[in-house]
Amino acid sequence: MPDGSHQRGLIDTSVVIDLERVAPGELPPELAIAAVTLAELAAGPHATNDPSERARRQERLQRAEATFDALAFDASAARAYGRVYAEVVASGRKPRGARALDLLIAATALAAGLPLYTRNPSDFDGVGDLVDVADVSTAHAGQ
């Protein structure tokens, strides 16, 4: 859980999806997202055949685009990805496949010097001490 000392943090796709349900005080005052998160959100409407779910996913994408200035995956993030990749390999985990997008998000956080807030901390196992990964819970009131 975050210790409250961070003024800014990068939220991953899982947090963006559940942002309305995140418990008060779980996130820093200033939030950023990675361009990779926007890519995942842009793919979301195309990953379902349910028209209602497609509309919800499209609305979520549009809300994220309107709310956040995404941090680009630039040359600095690419260099950071090399460090993240090496750290994950050294931990005995595979850095490819389903994990690849999560690790690109972690590299974006590393390059920007930001802690990473996620609902799925195990997605970032193996990044070692490179990125401060915070587990975000959701509020259960009214559910």
Coordinates of all heavy atoms in Angstrom, one line a residue, residues 40-115:
E40 N -3.8 -0.3 -24.7 CA -4.6 -1.4 -24.2 C -6.1 -1.1 -24.1 O -6.9 -1.9 -24.5 CB -4.1 -1.8 -22.7 CG -2.8 -2.6 -22.7 CD -2.5 -3.1 -21.3 OE1 -2.3 -2.3 -20.4 OE2 -2.4 -4.3 -21.2
L41 N -6.3 0.2 -23.7 CA -7.7 0.6 -23.7 C -8.3 0.8 -25.1 O -9.5 0.5 -25.3 CB -7.8 2.0 -22.9 CG -7.5 1.9 -21.4 CD1 -7.5 3.3 -20.9 CD2 -8.5 1.1 -20.7
A42 N -7.5 1.2 -26.0 CA -8.0 1.3 -27.4 C -8.3 -0.1 -28.0 O -9.2 -0.2 -28.9 CB -6.9 2.0 -28.3
A43 N -7.6 -1.1 -27.6 CA -7.9 -2.5 -28.1 C -9.1 -3.0 -27.4 O -9.8 -3.9 -28.0 CB -6.7 -3.4 -27.8
G44 N -9.5 -2.6 -26.2 CA -10.6 -3.1 -25.5 C -11.9 -3.3 -26.2 O -12.5 -4.3 -26.2
P45 N -12.4 -2.2 -26.8 CA -13.7 -2.3 -27.5 C -13.7 -3.4 -28.6 O -14.7 -3.9 -28.9 CB -13.9 -0.9 -28.1 CG -13.1 0.0 -27.3 CD -11.9 -0.8 -26.9
H46 N -12.5 -3.7 -29.2 CA -12.4 -4.6 -30.3 C -12.3 -6.1 -29.8 O -12.3 -7.0 -30.6 CB -11.2 -4.3 -31.2 CG -11.3 -2.9 -31.7 ND1 -12.2 -2.5 -32.6 CD2 -10.6 -1.8 -31.3 CE1 -12.1 -1.2 -32.9 NE2 -11.1 -0.7 -32.1
A47 N -12.1 -6.2 -28.5 CA -11.9 -7.5 -27.9 C -13.2 -8.2 -27.3 O -13.1 -9.2 -26.6 CB -10.9 -7.4 -26.8
T48 N -14.3 -7.6 -27.6 CA -15.6 -8.1 -27.2 C -16.6 -8.1 -28.3 O -16.6 -7.2 -29.1 CB -16.1 -7.4 -25.9 OG1 -17.3 -8.0 -25.5 CG2 -16.4 -5.9 -26.2
N49 N -17.5 -9.0 -28.3 CA -18.6 -9.0 -29.2 C -19.9 -8.5 -28.6 O -20.9 -8.3 -29.4 CB -18.9 -10.4 -29.8 CG -17.7 -10.9 -30.6 OD1 -17.1 -10.2 -31.4 ND2 -17.4 -12.2 -30.5
D50 N -19.9 -8.2 -27.3 CA -21.0 -7.7 -26.6 C -21.2 -6.1 -26.9 O -20.3 -5.4 -26.5 CB -20.9 -8.0 -25.2 CG -22.1 -7.5 -24.3 OD1 -22.4 -6.2 -24.4 OD2 -22.7 -8.3 -23.6
P51 N -22.2 -5.7 -27.5 CA -22.3 -4.3 -27.9 C -22.3 -3.3 -26.6 O -21.8 -2.3 -26.7 CB -23.7 -4.1 -28.6 CG -24.0 -5.5 -29.1 CD -23.3 -6.5 -28.1
S52 N -23.0 -3.8 -25.6 CA -23.0 -3.0 -24.3 C -21.6 -2.8 -23.7 O -21.2 -1.8 -23.3 CB -24.0 -3.6 -23.3 OG -25.3 -3.5 -23.8
E53 N -20.9 -4.0 -23.7 CA -19.5 -3.9 -23.1 C -18.6 -3.1 -24.0 O -17.8 -2.4 -23.6 CB -19.0 -5.4 -23.0 CG -17.6 -5.4 -22.4 CD -17.4 -4.8 -21.0 OE1 -18.4 -4.7 -20.3 OE2 -16.3 -4.5 -20.7
R54 N -18.8 -3.3 -25.3 CA -18.0 -2.5 -26.3 C -18.2 -1.0 -26.0 O -17.2 -0.2 -26.0 CB -18.4 -2.8 -27.7 CG -17.5 -2.1 -28.8 CD -17.8 -2.5 -30.2 NE -17.7 -4.0 -30.4 CZ -18.8 -4.8 -30.7 NH1 -20.0 -4.2 -30.9 NH2 -18.6 -6.0 -30.9
A55 N -19.5 -0.6 -25.8 CA -19.7 0.8 -25.5 C -19.1 1.3 -24.2 O -18.6 2.4 -24.1 CB -21.3 1.1 -25.5
R56 N -19.1 0.5 -23.2 CA -18.5 0.8 -21.9 C -17.0 1.0 -22.1 O -16.4 1.9 -21.5 CB -18.8 -0.3 -20.9 CG -20.1 -0.2 -20.2 CD -20.2 -1.1 -19.0 NE -20.3 -2.5 -19.4 CZ -21.3 -3.1 -19.8 NH1 -22.5 -2.5 -19.9 NH2 -21.3 -4.4 -20.1
R57 N -16.4 0.1 -22.8 CA -15.0 0.1 -23.1 C -14.6 1.4 -23.9 O -13.6 2.0 -23.6 CB -14.5 -1.1 -23.7 CG -14.5 -2.3 -22.8 CD -14.1 -3.6 -23.5 NE -14.2 -4.7 -22.6 CZ -13.7 -5.9 -22.9 NH1 -13.1 -6.2 -24.0 NH2 -13.9 -6.9 -22.0
Q58 N -15.4 1.7 -24.9 CA -15.1 2.9 -25.7 C -15.3 4.2 -24.8 O -14.4 5.1 -24.9 CB -16.1 3.0 -26.8 CG -15.8 4.1 -27.8 CD -14.5 4.0 -28.5 OE1 -14.1 2.9 -28.9 NE2 -13.8 5.1 -28.7
E59 N -16.2 4.2 -23.9 CA -16.4 5.3 -23.0 C -15.2 5.4 -22.1 O -14.7 6.6 -21.8 CB -17.7 5.2 -22.2 CG -17.9 6.3 -21.3 CD -19.2 6.1 -20.4 OE1 -20.0 5.2 -20.7 OE2 -19.4 6.9 -19.5
R60 N -14.7 4.3 -21.6 CA -13.6 4.3 -20.7 C -12.4 4.9 -21.4 O -11.6 5.7 -20.9 CB -13.3 2.9 -20.2 CG -12.1 2.9 -19.2 CD -11.9 1.4 -18.7 NE -13.0 0.9 -18.1 CZ -13.6 -0.3 -18.5 NH1 -13.1 -1.0 -19.5 NH2 -14.6 -0.8 -17.8
L61 N -12.1 4.5 -22.6 CA -11.0 5.0 -23.5 C -11.2 6.5 -23.6 O -10.2 7.2 -23.4 CB -11.0 4.3 -24.8 CG -10.1 4.9 -25.9 CD1 -8.6 4.9 -25.4 CD2 -10.3 4.2 -27.2
Q62 N -12.3 6.9 -24.0 CA -12.5 8.4 -24.2 C -12.3 9.2 -22.9 O -11.7 10.3 -23.0 CB -13.9 8.6 -24.8 CG -14.0 8.1 -26.2 CD -15.5 8.1 -26.8 OE1 -16.4 8.0 -26.0 NE2 -15.6 8.2 -28.1
R63 N -12.8 8.6 -21.8 CA -12.6 9.3 -20.5 C -11.1 9.4 -20.2 O -10.6 10.5 -19.8 CB -13.4 8.6 -19.4 CG -13.8 9.4 -18.3 CD -14.7 8.7 -17.3 NE -15.5 7.7 -17.8 CZ -15.4 6.4 -17.5 NH1 -14.5 6.0 -16.6 NH2 -16.2 5.4 -18.0
A64 N -10.4 8.3 -20.4 CA -8.9 8.3 -20.1 C -8.2 9.3 -21.0 O -7.3 10.1 -20.6 CB -8.4 6.9 -20.3
E65 N -8.6 9.3 -22.3 CA -7.9 10.3 -23.2 C -8.2 11.7 -22.8 O -7.3 12.6 -23.0 CB -8.4 10.0 -24.7 CG -7.9 8.8 -25.3 CD -8.6 8.4 -26.6 OE1 -9.7 8.8 -26.8 OE2 -7.9 7.8 -27.4
A66 N -9.4 12.0 -22.3 CA -9.8 13.4 -21.9 C -9.2 13.8 -20.6 O -8.9 14.9 -20.3 CB -11.3 13.5 -21.9
T67 N -8.9 12.8 -19.8 CA -8.4 13.1 -18.4 C -6.9 13.1 -18.3 O -6.4 14.0 -17.5 CB -9.0 12.0 -17.4 OG1 -10.4 12.0 -17.5 CG2 -8.6 12.3 -16.0
F68 N -6.2 12.3 -19.0 CA -4.8 12.1 -18.8 C -4.0 12.5 -20.0 O -4.4 12.3 -21.1 CB -4.4 10.7 -18.4 CG -5.1 10.2 -17.2 CD1 -6.2 9.3 -17.3 CD2 -4.7 10.5 -15.9 CE1 -6.8 8.8 -16.2 CE2 -5.3 10.0 -14.8 CZ -6.4 9.2 -14.9
D69 N -2.8 13.1 -19.7 CA -1.8 13.3 -20.8 C -0.9 12.0 -20.6 O -0.2 11.9 -19.6 CB -1.0 14.5 -20.6 CG -1.8 15.8 -20.9 OD1 -2.6 15.7 -21.9 OD2 -1.6 16.8 -20.3
A70 N -0.9 11.1 -21.6 CA -0.2 9.9 -21.5 C 1.3 10.1 -21.6 O 1.7 10.9 -22.4 CB -0.7 8.9 -22.5
L71 N 2.1 9.4 -20.8 CA 3.6 9.5 -20.9 C 4.0 8.6 -22.1 O 3.6 7.4 -22.1 CB 4.2 9.0 -19.6 CG 3.9 9.8 -18.4 CD1 4.6 9.1 -17.2 CD2 4.3 11.2 -18.5
A72 N 4.7 9.1 -23.0 CA 5.1 8.4 -24.2 C 6.1 7.3 -23.9 O 6.9 7.4 -22.9 CB 5.8 9.4 -25.2
F73 N 6.1 6.3 -24.7 CA 7.2 5.3 -24.6 C 8.2 5.8 -25.5 O 8.2 5.5 -26.7 CB 6.7 3.9 -25.0 CG 7.7 2.8 -24.7 CD1 7.7 2.3 -23.4 CD2 8.5 2.4 -25.7 CE1 8.7 1.3 -23.1 CE2 9.5 1.4 -25.4 CZ 9.6 0.9 -24.1
D74 N 9.2 6.5 -25.0 CA 10.2 7.2 -25.7 C 11.5 6.5 -25.6 O 11.6 5.4 -25.1 CB 10.3 8.7 -25.3 CG 10.6 8.8 -23.8 OD1 10.9 7.8 -23.2 OD2 10.5 10.0 -23.4
A75 N 12.6 7.1 -26.0 CA 13.9 6.5 -26.0 C 14.4 6.2 -24.6 O 15.0 5.2 -24.3 CB 15.0 7.4 -26.7
S76 N 14.0 7.1 -23.6 CA 14.4 6.8 -22.2 C 13.6 5.6 -21.7 O 14.2 4.8 -21.0 CB 14.0 8.1 -21.4 OG 14.3 7.9 -20.1
A77 N 12.3 5.5 -22.0 CA 11.6 4.3 -21.6 C 12.1 3.1 -22.3 O 12.1 2.0 -21.7 CB 10.1 4.5 -21.9
A78 N 12.6 3.2 -23.5 CA 13.1 2.0 -24.2 C 14.4 1.5 -23.5 O 14.6 0.3 -23.3 CB 13.4 2.3 -25.7
R79 N 15.2 2.4 -23.1 CA 16.4 2.1 -22.3 C 16.0 1.5 -21.0 O 16.6 0.5 -20.5 CB 17.3 3.3 -22.1 CG 18.1 3.7 -23.4 CD 19.1 4.7 -23.1 NE 18.6 6.0 -22.6 CZ 18.1 6.9 -23.4 NH1 18.1 6.8 -24.7 NH2 17.6 8.0 -22.9
A80 N 15.0 2.0 -20.3 CA 14.5 1.5 -19.0 C 14.0 0.1 -19.2 O 14.1 -0.8 -18.3 CB 13.5 2.4 -18.4
Y81 N 13.3 -0.2 -20.4 CA 12.8 -1.5 -20.6 C 13.9 -2.5 -20.6 O 13.7 -3.6 -20.1 CB 12.0 -1.5 -22.0 CG 11.5 -2.9 -22.3 CD1 10.4 -3.4 -21.6 CD2 12.0 -3.6 -23.3 CE1 9.9 -4.7 -21.9 CE2 11.6 -4.9 -23.6 CZ 10.5 -5.4 -22.9 OH 10.0 -6.7 -23.2
G82 N 15.0 -2.2 -21.2 CA 16.2 -3.1 -21.1 C 16.5 -3.5 -19.7 O 16.8 -4.7 -19.4
R83 N 16.5 -2.5 -18.8 CA 16.8 -2.8 -17.4 C 15.7 -3.7 -16.8 O 16.0 -4.6 -16.0 CB 17.0 -1.5 -16.6 CG 18.2 -0.7 -17.0 CD 18.3 0.6 -16.3 NE 18.4 0.5 -14.9 CZ 18.0 1.4 -14.0 NH1 17.7 2.6 -14.5 NH2 18.1 1.2 -12.7
V84 N 14.5 -3.3 -17.0 CA 13.3 -4.1 -16.5 C 13.4 -5.5 -17.0 O 13.2 -6.5 -16.3 CB 12.0 -3.4 -16.9 CG1 10.8 -4.3 -16.6 CG2 11.8 -2.1 -16.1
Y85 N 13.6 -5.7 -18.3 CA 13.7 -7.0 -19.0 C 14.8 -7.8 -18.3 O 14.6 -9.0 -17.9 CB 14.0 -6.8 -20.4 CG 14.0 -8.1 -21.3 CD1 12.8 -8.4 -22.0 CD2 15.1 -8.9 -21.3 CE1 12.8 -9.6 -22.8 CE2 15.0 -10.1 -22.1 CZ 13.9 -10.4 -22.8 OH 13.9 -11.5 -23.6
A86 N 16.0 -7.3 -18.1 CA 17.1 -8.0 -17.5 C 16.7 -8.4 -16.1 O 17.1 -9.5 -15.6 CB 18.3 -7.1 -17.5
E87 N 16.1 -7.5 -15.3 CA 15.7 -7.8 -13.9 C 14.7 -9.0 -13.9 O 14.8 -9.8 -13.0 CB 15.1 -6.5 -13.3 CG 14.9 -6.6 -11.8 CD 16.2 -6.4 -11.0 OE1 17.2 -6.0 -11.6 OE2 16.2 -6.8 -9.8
V88 N 13.8 -9.0 -14.8 CA 12.8 -10.0 -14.8 C 13.4 -11.4 -15.2 O 13.1 -12.4 -14.5 CB 11.6 -9.7 -15.7 CG1 10.7 -10.8 -16.0 CG2 10.8 -8.5 -15.2
V89 N 14.3 -11.4 -16.1 CA 15.0 -12.6 -16.5 C 15.8 -13.1 -15.3 O 15.8 -14.3 -15.0 CB 15.9 -12.4 -17.8 CG1 16.8 -13.5 -18.0 CG2 15.0 -12.1 -19.0
A90 N 16.5 -12.2 -14.7 CA 17.3 -12.6 -13.5 C 16.5 -13.2 -12.4 O 17.0 -14.0 -11.6 CB 18.1 -11.4 -13.0
S91 N 15.2 -12.8 -12.3 CA 14.4 -13.3 -11.3 C 13.8 -14.7 -11.6 O 13.1 -15.3 -10.8 CB 13.2 -12.3 -11.0 OG 12.2 -12.4 -12.0
G92 N 14.1 -15.1 -12.9 CA 13.6 -16.4 -13.3 C 12.2 -16.4 -14.0 O 11.7 -17.5 -14.3
R93 N 11.7 -15.2 -14.2 CA 10.4 -15.1 -14.9 C 10.6 -14.8 -16.4 O 11.6 -14.3 -16.8 CB 9.6 -14.0 -14.3 CG 9.3 -14.3 -12.8 CD 8.2 -13.5 -12.2 NE 7.0 -13.9 -12.8 CZ 5.8 -13.3 -12.6 NH1 5.8 -12.1 -12.0 NH2 4.7 -13.7 -13.1
K94 N 9.6 -15.1 -17.1 CA 9.6 -14.9 -18.6 C 9.1 -13.4 -18.8 O 8.0 -13.1 -18.4 CB 8.8 -15.9 -19.3 CG 9.3 -17.3 -19.3 CD 8.6 -18.2 -20.2 CE 9.0 -19.6 -20.1 NZ 10.3 -19.9 -20.4
P95 N 9.9 -12.6 -19.6 CA 9.5 -11.2 -19.8 C 8.6 -11.1 -21.1 O 8.3 -9.9 -21.4 CB 10.8 -10.5 -19.9 CG 11.7 -11.5 -20.5 CD 11.3 -12.9 -19.9
R96 N 8.3 -12.1 -21.7 CA 7.6 -12.0 -23.0 C 6.1 -12.4 -22.8 O 5.7 -12.8 -21.8 CB 8.3 -12.8 -24.1 CG 9.7 -12.3 -24.4 CD 10.1 -12.6 -25.8 NE 11.4 -12.2 -26.0 CZ 11.8 -11.1 -26.7 NH1 10.8 -10.3 -27.2 NH2 13.0 -10.8 -26.9
G97 N 5.4 -12.4 -23.9 CA 4.0 -12.9 -23.9 C 3.1 -11.9 -23.2 O 3.3 -10.7 -23.4
A98 N 2.2 -12.4 -22.4 CA 1.2 -11.5 -21.8 C 1.8 -10.5 -20.9 O 1.3 -9.4 -20.7 CB 0.2 -12.4 -21.0
R99 N 3.0 -10.7 -20.4 CA 3.7 -9.8 -19.5 C 4.3 -8.6 -20.2 O 4.6 -7.6 -19.6 CB 4.9 -10.5 -18.7 CG 4.6 -11.7 -18.0 CD 5.8 -12.2 -17.2 NE 6.5 -11.1 -16.5 CZ 6.2 -10.6 -15.4 NH1 5.1 -11.1 -14.8 NH2 6.9 -9.7 -14.8
A100 N 4.5 -8.7 -21.5 CA 5.2 -7.7 -22.2 C 4.7 -6.3 -22.0 O 5.4 -5.3 -21.8 CB 5.3 -8.1 -23.7
L101 N 3.3 -6.1 -22.2 CA 2.8 -4.8 -22.0 C 2.9 -4.3 -20.6 O 3.2 -3.1 -20.4 CB 1.3 -4.8 -22.4 CG 1.1 -5.1 -23.9 CD1 -0.4 -5.1 -24.2 CD2 1.7 -4.0 -24.8
D102 N 2.8 -5.1 -19.6 CA 3.0 -4.7 -18.2 C 4.4 -4.2 -18.0 O 4.6 -3.2 -17.3 CB 2.7 -5.9 -17.3 CG 1.2 -6.3 -17.3 OD1 0.4 -5.4 -17.5 OD2 1.0 -7.5 -17.1
L103 N 5.3 -4.9 -18.6 CA 6.7 -4.5 -18.4 C 7.0 -3.2 -19.2 O 7.9 -2.4 -18.7 CB 7.7 -5.6 -18.9 CG 7.5 -6.9 -18.0 CD1 8.5 -7.9 -18.5 CD2 7.6 -6.6 -16.5
L104 N 6.4 -2.9 -20.3 CA 6.5 -1.6 -21.0 C 6.0 -0.5 -20.1 O 6.5 0.6 -20.0 CB 5.8 -1.7 -22.3 CG 6.4 -2.6 -23.4 CD1 5.5 -2.6 -24.6 CD2 7.8 -2.1 -23.8
I105 N 4.9 -0.8 -19.4 CA 4.3 0.2 -18.4 C 5.3 0.4 -17.3 O 5.5 1.5 -16.9 CB 2.9 -0.3 -17.9 CG1 1.9 -0.2 -19.1 CG2 2.5 0.6 -16.8 CD1 0.6 -0.8 -18.8
A106 N 5.9 -0.7 -16.8 CA 6.9 -0.6 -15.7 C 8.1 0.3 -16.2 O 8.6 1.1 -15.4 CB 7.3 -1.9 -15.2
A107 N 8.5 0.0 -17.4 CA 9.6 0.8 -17.9 C 9.3 2.3 -18.1 O 10.1 3.1 -17.8 CB 10.0 0.2 -19.3
T108 N 8.1 2.6 -18.4 CA 7.6 4.0 -18.5 C 7.7 4.6 -17.1 O 8.2 5.8 -17.0 CB 6.2 4.1 -19.1 OG1 6.2 3.4 -20.4 CG2 5.7 5.5 -19.2
A109 N 7.2 3.9 -16.1 CA 7.3 4.4 -14.7 C 8.8 4.6 -14.3 O 9.1 5.7 -13.7 CB 6.6 3.4 -13.8
L110 N 9.6 3.7 -14.6 CA 11.1 3.8 -14.3 C 11.7 5.0 -14.9 O 12.4 5.8 -14.3 CB 11.8 2.5 -14.7 CG 13.3 2.5 -14.5 CD1 13.7 2.7 -13.0 CD2 13.9 1.1 -15.0
A111 N 11.4 5.1 -16.2 CA 12.0 6.3 -17.0 C 11.5 7.6 -16.4 O 12.3 8.6 -16.4 CB 11.6 6.2 -18.5
A112 N 10.3 7.7 -16.0 CA 9.7 8.9 -15.4 C 10.0 9.1 -13.9 O 9.7 10.1 -13.4 CB 8.2 8.9 -15.7
G113 N 10.6 8.1 -13.3 CA 10.9 8.2 -11.9 C 9.7 8.2 -11.0 O 9.6 8.8 -10.0
L114 N 8.6 7.4 -11.5 CA 7.4 7.4 -10.7 C 7.1 6.1 -10.1 O 7.4 5.0 -10.7 CB 6.2 7.8 -11.7 CG 6.2 9.2 -12.3 CD1 5.1 9.3 -13.3 CD2 6.1 10.2 -11.2
P115 N 6.4 6.0 -9.0 CA 5.9 4.7 -8.5 C 4.8 4.3 -9.4 O 4.1 5.1 -10.0 CB 5.4 5.1 -7.1 CG 5.0 6.5 -7.1 CD 6.0 7.1 -8.1

